[in-house]
Amino acid sequence: MKTKLHSFFLFALLAAGFTACTPGTKNKAERRYDFANILDIAYTPDTLHRCYGWFTDAGSWMGFTLPEKEQWVNGFCGPFSLDMFRRQWMAQSAAVVSFASDAQGVFVPDSTCYYPGELYLSAHSDNGSIVQRLNFISASTALLRIKADTAEDLLLTGSRWGKDVTVNIEQNSVIARHPSGECVAMTFAPGVAPTLNGNNYTALIRSPRETVNVAISFFTSEKEMTAGLPALPEMLNNPAPALQANSERWEGYLSKILRNDMKPEYDRIAVKAVTTLISNWRTHRGGLLHEGIVPSHAVGYFVGFWAWDSWRFSAGTAKFDPELAKNNIRAMFDYQLPDGMIIDCIYTDPSENNARDSKPPLVCWAVDEIFTHTNDTAFVAEMYPQLLSYYKWWYEKRDHNHNGICEYGSTDGTLEAAAWESGMDNAIRFDDAVMLKNEGYEDAWSTDQESVDLNAYLALECKLLKKFAGLLDLPFEAPDYSAQVADYFFDKEMNFFFDRRLKDGSFIREPGCEAYTPLWTQIATQQQVDAMLPMLQDTAKFSTYIPFPTIAADNPKYNPRGYWRGPIWLDQTYFAIRGLRNYGYHKLADEYTLQVFDRLNGLQEGAPIHENYGTHTGERLKAPHFSWSSSHLLMMYDDYGK
């Protein structure tokens, strides 16, 4: 039996020979290996703490974790079903690897790593060392690569199959079925004959001298599995093209977003943001008719597509994956109503869709970002009629007194849905709002206040629709009230932007993040922005430890954990910083950007990007692995120093 010292020596040779990108070394041609442990996703199922995220890629509906070193399983943990309605571990590990001569041998972990687009682990026993890697080659399949430092037989088996999962053998695939219709298939190269062992399998691989390849596939139905399995043997015999495609895709992402003039720690933030967005990418399934990006794969109730979330994700991904950005927009417009409304959110089960409200109109911005990076006028032409219809809908069903200034509202008359429509669900500015029925419609209600952010967004949408019409040589035939928005909402006594009450036109003087929007959309005048600066730079109000909270920090109603009543939301912080930059305050904008980059807890380490953060602490609050925070961090990274 080999000594542990001998095993370590052989493992060192293996690390140099099996691949040039193990921890401590890297393939210079692939930048992903510059970003080791980009996210901490160590979790062994059945431990007592909560799992905070998975490795997933290519639009897949399955995810994996790295095993915890303290509760080691010698294989990647999972797959986990990432659907909102069937979130479950299909197995603790679908492929646990050991040496056949000592199948019960104890493996000691050496290292684990999450690179962008790849998982890595290595471990040793008295018999030798084994390295494993996992890459997604498609939305349905991940390729497991196994390499040992000795030519001893290897044995693979599953560990702790999930509740109600039944395991069978079909040719050289192990099929694990769940009553929901979801299936996991473990497919081995020709010559490997797995055998059934109760409700589990074993697969003996004789004296492998080369890398062992195993396909781990996840299918949502038998039909999908029947269509997907036949292509796997050829891929297993020649995995190089699939791995090359994975490598080129990730190198493409990073080469498009990374700058040559940023510190490594800030590059890491940008790469983490891209990794987060891609981990939240889901291919079409059920009622989701196009691929798109979910807000957070780590939080079950966020596994669907939301309107203004989708616009942000598309704007963020336009630079490095414009096709995904396009489909993310198409997915929401698949459910556009006849009157032009885009509904709040959609799911794999359409009966769960929410059509009680819409979301703030930012979609033309997203389309314009895609056009900026692609010059794709065909996509603009495809979307233009639908964009125009959605824009007109606001003035038709959300302008209570027909003065060209819109309000947030709902289709069912509830204030709850109207607040959702603003995207700022429990914002202080809506505390005293009431609902008003809009004349002539059964499905149109408005709050009794006109919102500055909504009308600033609409002004930007109008500007971009005019641009699109010019590109397409079409007349622009829609309302345009852009010129009146800034003056209408600017309070000259307080030198700040506020919502206004319908009944008397009075300002709702609760200084909050909605005031950043006129700066971002560039409808404010230079004089207005100059006048706002003292309040924006007040450390008791908005120039806080992490800058630009959702409400002035000295407001008596401020709540440090109050969702939209205090914490930092990075989209709003971005609007403020970019807004300052728009009006010539570049140095100040850069200083605030570095406060974000340097002070958010865990941002430069392995912690996930969160939905919101503590204003005075930078602590992580709601929803890890959050896509829109990631999108706006990418935008801050791209804007810095410009």
Side-chain angles (χ1 to χ4, degrees):
M1 184 175 290
K2 300 180 180 71
T3 65
K4 289 186 178 180
L5 181 62
H6 187 212
S7 292
F8 281 128
F9 175 72
L10 289 177
F11 180 74
L13 294 177
L14 169 68
F18 170 47
T19 178
C21 51
T22 53
T25 66
K26 63 189 178 186
N27 181 348
K28 295 292 186 182
E30 291 192 58
R31 273 181 275 191
R32 67 166 134 201
Y33 299 117
D34 291 329
F35 301 97
N37 294 310
I38 193 66
L39 286 162
D40 180 3
I41 55 164
Y43 179 79
T44 303
D46 299 330
T47 54
L48 296 178
H49 61 89
R50 181 181 172 190
C51 182
Y52 281 104
W54 289 263
F55 167 63
T56 182
D57 187 12
S60 184
W61 288 90
M62 69 171 167
F64 298 86
T65 60
L66 290 164
E68 296 166 88
K69 293 181 180 179
E70 297 78 12
Q71 295 185 308
W72 187 255
V73 176
N74 203 42
F76 299 108
C77 295
F80 181 83
S81 171
L82 291 166
D83 186 38
M84 172 179 174
F85 302 104
R86 288 186 292 276
R87 295 176 71 81
Q88 60 187 347
W89 289 96
M90 300 295 285
Q92 182 187 56
S93 178
V96 177
V97 187
S98 63
F99 291 106
S101 60
D102 186 17
Q104 303 304 315
V106 175
F107 274 83
V108 177
D110 296 316
S111 63
T112 63
C113 194
Y114 181 178
Y115 298 107
E118 181 172 300
L119 289 189
Y120 167 96
L121 66 81
S122 64
H124 69 274
S125 72
D126 288 339
N127 283 40
S129 299
I130 296 174
V131 167
Q132 301 179 57
R133 293 181 178 274
L134 192 68
N135 301 85
F136 279 82
I137 62 167
S138 70
S140 61
T141 299
L143 179 63
L144 171 63
R145 293 176 285 160
I146 306 163
K147 182 67 176 178
D149 66 350
T150 178
E152 290 192 30
D153 295 349
L154 294 179
L155 190 70
L156 275 70
T157 188
S159 171
R160 299 189 191 178
W161 290 100
K163 182 181 179 182
D164 300 325
V165 171
T166 57
V167 178
N168 292 288
I169 306 292
E170 297 179 14
Q171 297 180 346
N172 63 328
S173 291
V174 176
I175 311 297
R177 291 180 171 87
H178 186 268
S180 66
E182 293 180 336
C183 312
V184 173
M186 302 280 300
T187 304
F188 298 89
V192 177
T195 59
L196 202 61
N197 180 15
N199 194 45
N200 202 353
Y201 76 95
T202 56
L204 181 64
I205 301 171
R206 298 286 186 183
S207 305
R209 296 186 179 278
E210 304 297 331
T211 300
V212 174
N213 298 311
V214 182
I216 305 176
S217 303
F218 180 81
F219 301 107
T220 61
S221 67
E222 291 284 333
K223 182 179 179 181
E224 271 189 22
M225 184 169 67
T226 301
L229 285 179
L232 295 180
E234 181 179 352
M235 184 276 296
L236 289 169
N237 278 333
N238 182 24
L243 289 170
Q244 182 67 20
N246 175 282
S247 172
E248 290 177 354
R249 177 164 58 86
W250 274 96
E251 181 64 20
Y253 294 157
L254 301 190
S255 66
K256 289 173 183 174
I257 62 104
L258 286 173
R259 297 170 53 171
N260 296 321
D261 58 347
M262 295 290 271
K263 292 182 179 180
E265 55 266 38
Y266 302 151
D267 287 341
R268 184 175 176 85
I269 294 170
V271 173
K272 183 189 287 190
V274 170
T275 303
T276 301
L277 285 161
I278 294 301
S279 74
N280 287 330
W281 168 20
R282 296 291 169 268
T283 193
H284 60 88
R285 176 177 179 177
L288 303 179
L289 306 182
H290 282 88
E291 65 180 346
I293 297 174
V294 303
S296 170
H297 73 269
V299 180
Y301 56 78
F302 272 147
V303 181
F305 300 159
W306 273 256
W308 80 326
D309 301 60
S310 293
W311 317 147
R312 299 171 190 281
F313 308 160
S314 291
T317 56
K319 187 174 184 177
F320 68 90
D321 194 342
E323 290 306 311
L324 174 57
K326 293 174 191 176
N327 286 329
N328 200 42
I329 290 171
R330 290 176 177 126
M332 292 306 305
F333 276 87
D334 286 333
Y335 287 89
Q336 186 171 28
L337 300 183
D339 63 0
M341 178 183 177
I342 295 298
I343 66 175
D344 180 9
C345 54
I346 60 176
Y347 300 100
T348 54
D349 179 358
S351 70
E352 298 289 335
N353 293 356
N354 178 36
R356 296 169 62 194
D357 54 271
S358 187
K359 274 291 191 281
L362 289 160
V363 64
C364 291
W365 166 54
V367 171
D368 189 55
E369 287 295 307
I370 293 168
F371 177 75
T372 297
H373 293 291
T374 64
N375 290 314
D376 186 353
T377 53
F379 180 65
V380 174
E382 172 193 341
M383 296 306 306
Y384 183 76
Q386 295 165 281
L387 298 173
L388 190 64
S389 179
Y390 181 42
Y391 174 78
K392 289 179 178 179
W393 172 83
W394 286 97
Y395 293 98
E396 184 176 345
K397 298 216 170 163
R398 293 292 187 271
D399 182 3
H400 182 75
N401 60 1
H402 307 292
N403 68 339
I405 301 293
C406 294
E407 311 87 28
Y408 290 117
S410 62
T411 62
D412 63 359
T414 65
L415 181 57
E416 176 185 57
W420 291 349
E421 186 163 279
S422 77
M424 303 181 186
D425 303 2
N426 66 337
I428 288 171
R429 60 178 161 146
F430 298 119
D431 282 357
D432 299 319
V434 298
M435 298 301 294
L436 303 173
K437 184 91 164 50
N438 291 333
E439 186 179 355
Y441 300 104
E442 291 301 317
D443 63 348
W445 298 71
S446 287
T447 62
D448 66 341
Q449 66 190 65
E450 296 161 324
S451 288
V452 57
D453 52 336
L454 170 58
N455 288 279
Y457 293 140
L458 286 168
L460 177 60
E461 297 286 284
C462 181
K463 175 183 176 181
L464 294 173
L465 283 167
K466 288 180 177 179
K467 173 182 175 179
F468 300 157
L471 288 171
L472 303 173
D473 196 23
L474 295 171
F476 176 73
E477 298 176 342
D480 179 3
Y481 299 98
S482 307
Q484 70 189 58
V485 173
D487 287 342
Y488 186 80
F489 286 104
F490 192 73
D491 182 348
K492 293 180 180 179
E493 290 184 25
M494 291 195 66
N495 288 320
F496 214 67
F497 288 103
F498 296 106
D499 287 5
R500 296 183 69 164
R501 296 178 180 88
L502 279 173
K503 63 181 178 181
D504 57 11
S506 59
F507 290 107
I508 299 172
R509 286 174 166 159
E510 300 280 12
C513 60
E514 58 275 8
Y516 313 151
T517 313
L519 283 65
W520 176 68
T521 59
Q522 300 185 66
I523 63 166
T525 66
Q526 184 71 51
Q527 292 74 22
Q528 288 169 340
V529 177
D530 294 345
M532 291 174 69
L533 212 59
M535 189 179 293
L536 292 175
Q537 289 190 281
D538 188 335
T539 56
K541 296 182 183 295
F542 293 106
S543 190
T544 44
Y545 179 73
I546 307 297
F548 304 116
T550 46
I551 196 75
D554 61 354
N555 189 310
K557 297 179 181 178
Y558 171 90
N559 180 346
R561 292 179 172 269
Y563 211 51
W564 285 96
R565 302 175 74 86
I568 293 294
W569 287 73
L570 289 176
D571 63 319
Q572 301 302 309
T573 294
Y574 167 75
F575 287 160
I577 292 174
R578 179 56 189 259
L580 289 171
R581 200 179 298 281
N582 288 340
Y583 290 85
Y585 294 103
H586 299 282
K587 184 174 183 287
L588 189 59
D590 284 346
E591 291 172 357
Y592 283 132
T593 299
L594 294 187
Q595 284 182 230
V596 172
F597 286 178
D598 292 336
R599 295 177 178 180
L600 288 184
N601 182 267
L603 186 61
Q604 296 177 20
E605 291 79 45
I609 295 169
H610 275 61
E611 180 180 18
N612 41 44
Y613 290 85
T615 303
H616 299 298
T617 62
E619 65 179 312
R620 305 188 300 273
L621 298 176
K622 299 282 189 179
H625 302 276
F626 203 67
S627 293
W628 95 20
S629 297
S630 301
S631 289
H632 290 288
L633 284 168
L634 274 178
M635 295 172 199
M636 288 186 219
Y637 171 88
D638 197 49
D639 285 350
Y640 179 77
K642 296 180 181 178

